[in-house]
Amino acid sequence: MAFWWTLIVLGFAYAICRLLLMLIPPNVPSIEVDASDVMDDGNQTQENSYIYIPPRTKTQQQDKRVQCYEPATMKYLGYFPALSRDEVKERVASARKAQKEWAKSSFKQRRLLLRILLKYIIENQELICEISSRDTGKTIVDANMGEVMATCEKITWLLSEGEKWLKPESRSCGRATLHKKARVEFHPLGVVGAIVPWNYPFHNIFNPVLAAVFAGNGIVVKVSEHASWSGCFYVRIIHAALAAVGAPESLVDVITGFAETGEALVSSVDKMIFVGSTGVGRMIMKSAAETLIPVTLELGGKDAFIVCEDIDLDHVVDIALRASITSSGHNCTGAERFYVHKNIYSSFVDKISERVKDITVGPPSAGKYDMGAICTQEQSEKLQSLVNDALDRGAKIVARGTFGHLPEGAVDQYFPPTVIVDVNHTMKLMQEEAFGPILPIMKFSTDGEAVKLANDSRFGLGCAVFSGSQDRARNIAWQIHSGSVAINDFATNYLCQSLPFGGVKESGFGRFAGVEGLRACCLVKAVVEDRWWPFLYTKHPKLLTYPVADNAFEFQMSLVEATYGLNIWHRLTALVNVLKMLSEHNTLTRNNPNINGRRKRND
C-alpha cells in the first residue's frame, strides 16, 4: 500500500510542478519589423496616391514589374520586380548555401524561432490583418480567423509535436532479419519551392515556410502577383526572427513575378509545393518532371455541403453563410455545392435568402461590411459568366446581397453574394470551381442520392455533412471521395493542424499539415544495422555462396517455407529439411575440402 501512495504523491507533485511551469512566461526575444512604409496613414507619396486602372490583358512580365493595388479601393500601392530566371536561380542558390548551415541546427533553436514568430504574430494581429485586408479586399475579421488563427495553430502544433515526428523512428525487422535493427530517418531535402495564391497572403506564406524550416530546409516562396505587396512585408517578419536566432535571412526568401518567375523556381529547387488552379498544377508537374523533384499540389475544389432533414436549421444556415458567402468563403475554395434534403429544402432556401439580403458588400476598411472585394477583375467576370450559364439553363436567383458605397473605379472588383436554386449538374456553376460568393442549392431525397451528387465532380478537396444522427453523417461522409470531411461543421479540418490537408482527383495530391505534411519536407531514409554487432551478423550458408551447391534452390525453398509457412507443422518439417541439408553439406565439405561448396563433377 505504501508503494502505491508513494506513486500517487510523486504523480501529484509532478502535476503541480508542470502547472507552475506553465504559469512562468517563457523568455522569448521580441523582434522589431519596420512597417512604416505599409501603414495607411494618409501620408503616402504622390507616386502612390492615385487610383490604379489594371490593364484588360495580362502583362506577363512585359514591363518587368508587378503592380500592386487595393482591390477594394483601387488605390495604388507600388510595384515589385518581376524576377528573371537568372535572378530566381541566384535567390535559390543563396537559400541553398544558408540551408547547409541550418540543417545542423538543433530542435531547440528551431523551436525558439517558432516562439519568436508566434509572439510577434499575437502582438501584431491588427497590423497583419489590415495588410491582408488591403491587399485582397477581405475583412479584417476574416483575415484574423482564416490567417492569423490558422498560422498560430500550426506553430503551436509544431512546437508540441514537430520534433517527435522528425526523430528517427524504429521499425520492425521481420522474420528474415531478426538479428537487425531497422529505423527510418528524416533528413532535410535542401531548398523547397512554393508557389502560393493571393487568397490568404499571410498564411499561404507561413504555412509552407514553417514546415520546411522546422524540418531543416531552406525555402523560396513565389507569391501571387495579386498579393505581392503584403507578401514582401510578411517576409520581413520571418527575416527578423531568423536574425534573432542567428540564422541567415537568405534561408527564407519571397520572390515576385509572373509565369517565367514560377517556371524558374520549379527548375531550381529540391521539392515543389503549389497551391492554385488545376491547369497551372499540370504545368508545374510537367516542369518538375524534367528534374524529377517531388511535388505537392493543392488545386481546385468544388466542396459539397450536405444537409439532412434532422438538423438544427438555423445553426446550419449560419455555417453555410460562413462557408460560402462571407469573405472567408469567397476568398477560398469554400462550399460551392449545396445539397439539401427535400423535406427542409424550402425552409433552408428561405432562411438563407433572408440572411443574404442583409449582407452588404463594400470596402472592408470602412469596418461595417460583411464582405470586401473580389481580388481581380477577371474573377468577377468569370463568376458572372457562371451565373449567366445557369440562368440560361433554367436556374433562378432568389436572393442577392447589396452594395455599399463603392469607389467609382472599383465597381468591377465586387460581386454580390448570390443564392441560386433550380440548379443541376449540366450547369457550369455545378461543375467548375467558382471561387466566389455564390450559393447554388439542389434537393435530394435519399442519402444515397446525396452521396452520388457529391461524388459527381472532377474535384475532391473537402466536404461537409450535417445530420442530427452522427452515425448517419459518418456513413454519408465515409462514401464521399474527398481529401477531408467535416461532420456537422465546415472546414474545421484545417484548424486541426495534426491532420494532413489535400485533395484527390483534380484537386491534386500530396499533403501539407500534420505528420504527413511535415515529413513530406524530408528525405525519408531507411536504415538497417546489426543488432548485436560484431557478435552476430549476416552470413550466408555455404550452400548459397558461389559457386552455389547443386541443391541450393531446394535449400532456399525450404528456408522460405520454414520462415513464412502458414502451417506450423509444415514450417517445422521445412526447418528439419534445412538443417538436414546444412549437415549433409558440411559433412561433404569436410570430406572434400577442395570442393568449395559444389559437388565435384566427372568430366
Side-chain angles (χ1 to χ4, degrees):
M1 187 66 179
F3 172 76
W4 291 110
W5 272 111
T6 302
L7 286 181
I8 293 171
V9 170
L10 288 175
F12 184 73
Y14 175 77
I16 293 295
C17 290
R18 288 295 301 267
L19 178 62
L20 291 174
L21 286 173
M22 290 175 62
L23 297 175
I24 301 173
N27 184 20
V28 179
S30 297
I31 56 174
E32 293 186 6
V33 180
D34 182 16
S36 59
D37 58 333
V38 295
M39 296 298 291
D40 186 15
D41 56 5
N43 295 320
Q44 285 81 7
T45 62
Q46 186 174 359
E47 178 188 3
N48 290 0
S49 62
Y50 63 86
I51 298 299
Y52 181 73
I53 302 176
R56 298 296 296 180
T57 58
K58 296 181 179 179
T59 57
Q60 294 298 317
Q61 218 103 357
Q62 290 174 4
D63 61 0
K64 302 296 181 182
R65 291 182 175 185
V66 178
Q67 305 289 356
C68 304
Y69 59 94
E70 293 182 14
T73 63
M74 304 310 295
K75 183 178 180 180
Y76 186 64
L77 296 171
Y79 67 87
F80 291 91
L83 300 186
S84 66
R85 289 182 178 275
D86 290 341
E87 289 171 321
V88 173
K89 292 182 183 298
E90 288 176 8
R91 300 285 191 96
V92 173
S94 295
R96 196 174 300 282
K97 182 179 178 181
Q99 187 274 333
K100 293 184 185 301
E101 289 300 316
W102 181 250
K104 304 172 187 176
S105 64
S106 65
F107 282 113
K108 180 179 179 181
Q109 186 180 12
R110 298 177 194 181
R111 280 195 298 270
L112 179 59
L113 173 67
L114 265 57
R115 288 192 177 100
I116 291 171
L117 289 169
L118 182 59
K119 181 179 181 180
Y120 180 88
I121 293 169
I122 292 172
E123 293 176 350
N124 295 272
Q125 296 181 61
E126 186 174 0
L127 172 65
I128 291 167
C129 294
E130 285 182 357
I131 289 173
S132 174
S133 174
R134 291 183 66 190
D135 212 14
T136 65
K138 68 173 65 177
T139 67
I140 59 172
V141 172
D142 285 304
N144 191 285
M145 292 178 63
E147 304 207 63
V148 169
M149 197 168 184
T151 302
C152 290
E153 185 63 37
K154 188 176 189 74
I155 293 175
T156 304
W157 180 80
L158 285 170
L159 288 171
S160 174
E161 300 185 38
E163 180 180 357
K164 176 179 73 172
W165 296 114
L166 292 180
K167 282 185 173 181
E169 184 177 277
S170 296
R171 298 289 176 90
S172 60
C173 289
R175 296 177 181 177
T177 52
L178 285 173
H179 61 298
K180 298 288 186 180
K181 290 191 296 184
R183 67 178 179 272
V184 178
E185 295 177 351
F186 303 95
H187 298 267
L189 282 169
V191 177
V192 175
I195 298 178
V196 297
W198 55 266
N199 56 338
Y200 288 92
F202 179 74
H203 182 71
N204 284 344
I205 292 174
F206 275 75
N207 185 40
V209 165
L210 292 168
V213 171
F214 194 81
N217 298 288
I219 183 170
V220 178
V221 183
K222 182 201 170 291
V223 290
S224 168
E225 57 268 34
H226 302 298
S228 297
W229 179 76
S230 57
C232 289
F233 169 75
Y234 293 143
V235 75
R236 297 180 196 172
I237 303 171
I238 300 169
H239 285 168
L242 288 169
V245 299
E249 292 182 3
S250 55
L251 183 71
V252 177
D253 207 348
V254 163
I255 59 175
T256 52
F258 301 97
E260 180 185 340
T261 306
E263 291 167 3
L265 182 62
V266 177
S267 64
S268 306
V269 296
D270 302 300
K271 175 189 170 67
M272 199 65 217
I273 298 172
F274 174 73
V275 182
S277 70
T278 301
V280 177
R282 288 193 175 98
M283 291 189 283
I284 296 289
M285 280 193 67
K286 185 177 181 180
S287 297
E290 297 296 322
T291 51
L292 290 178
I293 60 170
V295 178
T296 295
L297 301 177
E298 194 246 290
L299 308 177
K302 200 72 183 170
D303 289 8
F305 192 105
I306 298 173
V307 184
C308 298
E309 75 281 5
D310 56 348
I311 46 83
D312 179 343
L313 193 56
D314 290 326
H315 175 66
V316 174
V317 166
D318 186 64
I319 295 176
L321 287 168
R322 172 60 58 185
S324 63
I325 297 297
T326 58
S327 296
S328 63
H330 83 262
N331 274 309
C332 70
T333 304
E336 294 199 351
R337 295 178 296 151
F338 286 77
Y339 303 109
V340 181
H341 194 276
K342 64 179 183 179
N343 291 350
I344 60 167
Y345 177 81
S346 297
S347 298
F348 182 87
V349 171
D350 290 343
K351 284 181 177 291
I352 209 159
S353 296
E354 291 174 9
R355 298 282 296 276
V356 165
K357 291 174 183 177
D358 291 334
I359 294 177
T360 305
V361 179
S365 58
K368 59 181 180 180
Y369 297 104
D370 294 297
M371 281 181 54
I374 300 293
C375 195
T376 67
Q377 191 176 51
E378 294 83 3
Q379 184 63 16
S380 295
E381 294 170 354
K382 177 187 175 182
L383 294 176
Q384 190 58 54
S385 70
L386 292 175
V387 170
N388 291 343
D389 175 75
L391 296 177
D392 290 343
R393 295 173 184 268
K396 298 177 182 177
I397 295 176
V398 293
R400 302 198 89 168
T402 57
F403 289 110
H405 297 289
L406 302 185
E408 184 177 348
V411 174
D412 290 340
Q413 303 291 111
Y414 291 84
F415 195 90
T418 304
V419 180
I420 300 182
V421 297
D422 296 341
V423 292
N424 59 63
H425 282 207
T426 67
M427 301 172 182
K428 294 180 180 179
L429 180 60
M430 299 299 285
Q431 296 296 334
E432 298 181 12
E433 184 180 36
F435 219 84
I438 304 176
L439 200 156
I441 310 173
M442 282 185 69
K443 66 177 69 172
F444 69 88
S445 300
T446 65
D447 293 358
E449 183 184 3
V451 170
K452 183 178 179 180
L453 289 169
N455 286 333
D456 182 22
S457 173
R458 51 197 178 93
F459 298 106
L461 189 57
C463 70
V465 181
F466 294 82
S467 171
S469 166
Q470 218 160 354
D471 287 340
R472 179 185 181 187
R474 287 195 200 104
N475 183 57
I476 294 173
W478 185 83
Q479 300 177 69
I480 295 176
H481 194 38
S482 64
S484 64
V485 59
I487 293 176
N488 288 327
D489 208 336
F490 183 84
T492 43
N493 315 65
Y494 199 81
L495 277 176
C496 187
Q497 281 291 316
S498 64
L499 292 175
F501 184 81
V504 296
K505 297 190 280 190
E506 291 192 21
S507 290
F509 58 84
R511 297 294 184 265
F512 53 80
V515 181
E516 295 79 2
L518 183 60
R519 288 180 171 178
C521 293
C522 299
L523 164 63
V524 181
K525 183 183 292 185
V527 180
V528 176
E529 61 180 311
D530 290 299
R531 190 183 299 275
W532 296 291
W533 173 264
F535 306 105
L536 184 62
Y537 52 90
T538 302
K539 189 175 181 180
H540 291 96
K542 289 188 177 181
L543 285 83
L544 300 180
T545 58
Y546 292 100
V548 297
D550 288 344
N551 62 340
F553 183 62
E554 180 185 353
F555 173 82
Q556 183 61 31
M557 287 194 298
S558 295
L559 184 63
V560 169
E561 184 168 5
T563 306
Y564 303 107
L566 298 178
N567 186 299
I568 186 65
W569 298 113
H570 289 172
R571 289 173 63 186
L572 288 173
T573 302
L575 179 60
V576 169
N577 197 32
V578 165
L579 296 174
K580 181 180 178 181
M581 284 188 280
L582 283 173
S583 176
E584 290 176 350
H585 184 80
N586 290 336
T587 300
L588 181 63
T589 303
R590 281 196 301 270
N591 295 335
N592 301 277
N594 295 323
I595 290 180
N596 193 27
R598 177 177 289 276
R599 295 188 183 92
K600 191 173 181 179
R601 297 177 182 274
N602 294 327
D603 294 333

